[in-house]
Structure formats: structure tokens, C-alpha cells
Amino acid sequence: MASAIRADLACSRFWPAFGHTTSEGERRVLQPWFGEAKLGIFVHWGIYSVDGVPESWSFFDGTVPYDRYMAQLDGFTAARYEPTAWADLFVRAGARYAVLTAKHHDGVALWDTAANDLSVVGRTPAGRDLVAPYVDALRARGVKVGLYYSHVDWSHPDYATVRPPGQDPAERGNPYSMPAAEDESSERWANFLGFHRAQVRELLERFRPDLLWFDGEWERGPEQWRTAELARDIAELSPHTVVNGRLTGHGDYATPEQGIPVQPPAKEWELCLTVNDSWGYQPQDTRHKSPRRLVRIFAETIGGGGNLLLDVGPKEDGTLRPEQTERLEALGEWIGRHTEAVYGTVRGLPHGHFYGPSTLAAGRRTLYLFLFDRPNEYVVLRGVRNAVRSVRVLGTDVEVRHERVGGLGDVPGWEYVHLTDDHLDPLCTVLALELDGALDLYGAHTRD
């Protein structure tokens, strides 16, 4: 993932073409579960949790010497790792999938890879495959399995051997990712791609993930990564696996980070968001987002047709900070009170019809409005031709008064929904409006 100092790039960088193609002109349809999931949990766990330093970026940026960073291998124990407890927590949070960092940019694999010897199995006190029990625990609870895999590998000796197209050889850049002019080697790059493909194949064949979450594609062009070839391999080996958009040109959905797009993508997408400010465990980072803020971000995301992939960072022993567990449980409690407005819904109203996010039931006859702020007597819905038959407050099923005011000919009036403080949810109130038919919106018409 992008480091905190790269947050300004994160939301503009990842808007690739959609539609995972398996052959020329053929488009693979995204698995239906992804659009229906609404919430996933991202887990950034690796040796960087020993000292609590930024994952991979800390040595790449020179904050921590590489040798000291890799010395964390000796302190990574996973001594209290209980994937069943993780899975139970994710279910309580309302998540339908989870994504674990099987390998970050530092190259340390969490499974017993045969492609090299840099894994927690042979190089850390943990001494075992950590991916397999995670996969088993999720599947036992009906949670879809996601695995994160970084294309880049700043520890591999053959990685920094070619530069992206158009880069001046005189501008070497970071030595972990770019070669000196005299060290360029297409042969060594081919060796690296062989290693890369071997690890991807291991993940697909051993774990059969429902989702493969790539990262790091920005350091090379798609021709250098040979993404078309990789997409075909994935489709052949594991055709059910969803692939994110960082398999450039062949991904199934977009992955903005740390900020909701003002204009949501028309296609499938997922917001990647940290519970605090860090992806992995960093003990000094106590800026955990409040439950109210997380609920708001979640509602805005699903209202725009996306999923929220909410990130936590376990400690080296495999336990989560209480603050992060509490946030997930609070989000899950709110979802539990408002399940009807979350699962089985599609993106809601375009901007301008209601001051807040909304979702629609699959039949488009029930409209859900999300209220973040305390209304002053009423809230207003605009531009809906349908008659509103009833308005319920979810979580209480209390019906509230509503009335249509104004309107002329084809131009609908305003729908006023009257509320009192007694109707309000402490985190976010949701109203269910039953319409007299499938949603029919009024367009932009004016009278000369």
C-alpha cells in the first residue's frame, strides 16, 4: 500500500481500465459476491510489526537501514495468532471478505514458498505457514478469502534490473527498485518474472483465493509486468478469483485509498481505508477514527456503489489492538441495526436529490436515506416522481410523518420527512421510504 506521505497520490493513481480479459475481445464478468459484499477487512501483517515501523517503505525511504529492518525477522513470533478469532471478529463487524498481506514490498512471504527462502516459515520464530489457517478460518465462517500480493520485491536480487519506459538512465532513483545504467539486465528481469509467477501460482493453487489483491504496479509498465499474460494465467488456474485493478488493464475493479471519490466510479470499486493512520501496526499511531466517522465513510462508500476495505494492523504476535477491535465491533453493531439498507442494495440517488448518501433495494421500490447530522425538524427529498407510501426509521421500525409539497405538472414537489430527536441513531440514522413503484427520477428541466 502507499505510505502515509504518498496519500496525495493514492486517490488519483489507481483508476485502471476495468474488465478482466482472458483473451482478445473477451471480458470476464465480475463475481456477483463482490458487489454484494459491501464490507471487507484488510489485514497488514508482517515483520514490520515487530518494531512498529512502516511496512517496507521505512527502509525504501531510508528511515530505517535495510539490515535493521530485516533483523525484525528474528522477533516475529505469531505466538498468539488465532485466525479463528480474527474470522469471528470479521463476522461480527459485518464483513463478507478479508484480505491478508501474503507478501508486501519487502518480499517476506507469510506462506511456505518454494520460490525462494524469504518467508516467515524458515526465517522467523513463527516457523509455520500463516496463510493456510487464515484461509481455513474464513472459509469455515463463509467469509470470502482475499490475498494481497505485491508485484514489487525490494529484497529480490533480480528486481532492480530494468527501469520503466522513458526513465532517463542518469536518474537512477531508489536502488531498491531501479538499476544503475551499467546494471540493467533484461535476462535478470526475466528471472525475476519467473520468481513472481511461481509465487502467484503457489497462492492460486494452494489457497484458491476468492480475491487476489495486487499492489506495486506503478514501478513498471504493463508490458514489463506482462500483465496480459498474467491475467490469462490467473483465469486458467483459478477462473473464480476476482482480481483488483492493480493488474493494470486487466483488473475487475478500482481501488482508491484513504479518501472517497467525490464522483464515484461508474464501474465496480473499493475504498481502502485504515482504522487509524497506518496500514500496519505502529504503536505511536493512536489516531483511530471514531465509530461515527467509520459509519459515515461506510455509508458514503456503499451509497456510491463501492465496498469499504477497512484495514487493521496486528501486532507481531498476531493480536489486534483493543481500539481496532472496538471499532470493528461498533461498525458491526450499527450494520446489524440497519442490515436492510446495506446488504442486497445498489448505489443510490445521484447528487442533488438528497443531502447525504442513499441506497436502493434491489427492486428499486425502497429507498434508504442516511442521515449523519441532526435534522432541523425535517429532511427533504427532491426530484422523485414516485409517491412515497411510507417512511420508517430503521432500527426502530417507527413510521414517521411525511408530506409532498409543491410540484407542477411533470415536475415533482419536495418530499418532507418530519423527525424528532427521539428518532435518531447515535451514529447514523437511516430512513426507509417505500415508493409506489420502481424509482422514477425527474431530470433537469427548466421553464423559459
Side-chain angles (χ1 to χ4, degrees):
M1 300 297 293
S3 67
I5 61 173
R6 290 170 177 77
D8 58 325
L9 299 176
C11 291
S12 60
R13 186 172 73 193
F14 304 119
W15 299 97
F18 298 95
H20 185 155
T21 55
T22 57
S23 62
E24 189 67 30
E26 180 184 350
R27 175 189 166 113
R28 195 184 75 175
V29 177
L30 179 65
Q31 295 291 319
W33 71 260
F34 182 82
E36 298 166 358
K38 308 302 181 184
L39 178 66
I41 305 299
F42 215 170
V43 184
H44 273 67
W45 192 34
I47 65 168
Y48 38 85
S49 60
V50 174
D51 292 341
V53 296
E55 58 289 338
S56 307
W57 294 101
S58 51
F59 75 78
F60 184 87
D61 292 337
T63 306
V64 176
Y66 180 79
D67 289 347
R68 187 191 306 170
Y69 180 94
M70 297 306 291
Q72 293 177 103
L73 287 163
D74 297 332
F76 187 77
T77 68
R80 299 172 64 191
Y81 173 43
E82 296 183 15
T84 56
W86 284 12
D88 289 340
L89 173 61
F90 300 164
V91 170
R92 293 199 301 276
R96 300 292 176 87
Y97 67 108
V99 179
L100 172 65
T101 50
K103 193 201 78 170
H104 206 268
H105 314 325
D106 58 15
V108 180
L110 296 190
W111 78 98
D112 189 13
T113 178
N116 68 359
D117 66 350
L118 187 52
S119 77
V120 298
V121 181
R123 299 283 295 277
T124 76
R128 64 192 189 279
D129 184 330
L130 302 178
V131 174
Y134 153 86
V135 171
D136 292 342
L138 293 189
R139 293 218 161 106
R141 286 151 184 79
V143 178
K144 297 294 185 182
V145 172
L147 295 176
Y148 167 111
Y149 181 81
S150 175
H151 292 300
V152 308
D153 190 324
W154 293 328
S155 292
H156 196 284
D158 292 326
Y159 178 69
T161 53
V162 296
R163 62 187 69 255
Q167 187 187 72
D168 186 346
E171 299 178 7
R172 178 179 181 183
N174 194 294
Y176 292 110
S177 62
M178 298 299 159
E182 64 274 14
D183 293 332
E184 291 186 67
S185 170
S186 58
E187 181 178 353
R188 291 180 63 194
W189 177 251
N191 290 338
F192 173 76
L193 286 183
F195 158 80
H196 176 282
R197 297 303 194 267
Q199 288 200 320
V200 171
R201 180 178 291 271
E202 286 177 344
L203 293 177
L204 293 172
E205 292 182 339
R206 293 188 196 178
F207 308 117
R208 297 292 175 184
D210 300 289
L211 189 154
L212 198 53
W213 212 102
F214 286 115
D215 199 9
E217 83 298 343
W218 65 86
E219 284 207 331
R220 299 290 186 272
E223 293 79 16
Q224 290 171 308
W225 288 122
R226 301 199 330 235
T227 56
E229 173 191 284
L230 179 55
R232 288 192 297 271
D233 290 345
I234 295 170
E236 292 172 4
L237 281 171
S238 188
H240 75 283
T241 299
V242 173
V243 181
N244 74 335
R246 303 185 191 192
L247 185 63
T248 309
H250 299 273
D252 294 316
Y253 66 93
T255 55
E257 293 180 19
Q258 300 288 51
I260 299 173
V262 174
Q263 184 65 41
K267 303 286 187 176
E268 294 83 2
W269 63 286
E270 167 193 78
L271 173 65
C272 314
L273 182 82
T274 51
V275 169
N276 52 359
D277 289 340
S278 308
W279 297 104
Y281 171 68
Q282 295 186 40
Q284 78 283 359
D285 182 2
T286 59
R287 288 170 50 88
H288 293 89
K289 298 173 180 65
S290 68
R292 186 191 303 272
R293 183 176 297 182
L294 291 174
V295 167
R296 179 171 189 145
I297 293 170
F298 176 65
E300 290 184 353
T301 301
I302 65 174
N307 291 344
L308 175 61
L309 185 62
L310 185 59
D311 178 79
V312 294
K315 299 177 183 179
E316 64 81 19
D317 64 1
T319 60
L320 287 171
R321 299 169 75 164
E323 300 92 335
Q324 299 196 345
T325 297
E326 291 164 3
R327 273 21 177 225
L328 296 189
E329 290 178 334
L331 177 58
E333 289 171 3
W334 181 88
I335 291 174
R337 295 194 298 273
H338 303 92
T339 298
E340 177 186 334
V342 176
Y343 305 117
T345 63
V346 297
R347 69 176 69 203
L349 299 167
H351 290 299
H353 291 278
F354 171 69
Y355 292 119
S358 59
T359 58
L360 271 167
R364 304 182 67 84
R365 298 174 69 96
T366 305
L367 175 64
Y368 302 100
L369 306 180
F370 296 79
L371 282 61
F372 300 132
D373 304 314
R374 178 177 176 271
N376 189 3
E377 294 187 44
Y378 51 76
V379 295
V380 179
L381 177 67
R382 302 187 299 169
V384 173
R385 291 193 176 96
N386 306 80
V388 177
R389 290 179 169 173
S390 67
V391 180
R392 292 177 289 123
V393 181
L394 290 194
T396 67
D397 279 338
V398 171
E399 288 201 15
V400 294
R401 184 167 65 91
H402 61 99
E403 58 182 329
R404 183 66 58 97
V405 177
L408 179 64
D410 188 48
V411 181
W414 296 306
E415 190 77 23
Y416 283 78
V417 179
H418 297 270
L419 297 169
T420 68
D421 288 353
D422 293 337
H423 298 131
L424 304 183
D425 185 277
L427 299 183
C428 174
T429 304
V430 183
L431 303 178
L433 282 66
E434 303 296 339
L435 309 178
D436 66 350
L439 179 68
D440 183 12
L441 293 180
Y442 168 74
H445 299 293
T446 59
R447 181 176 178 180
D448 295 330

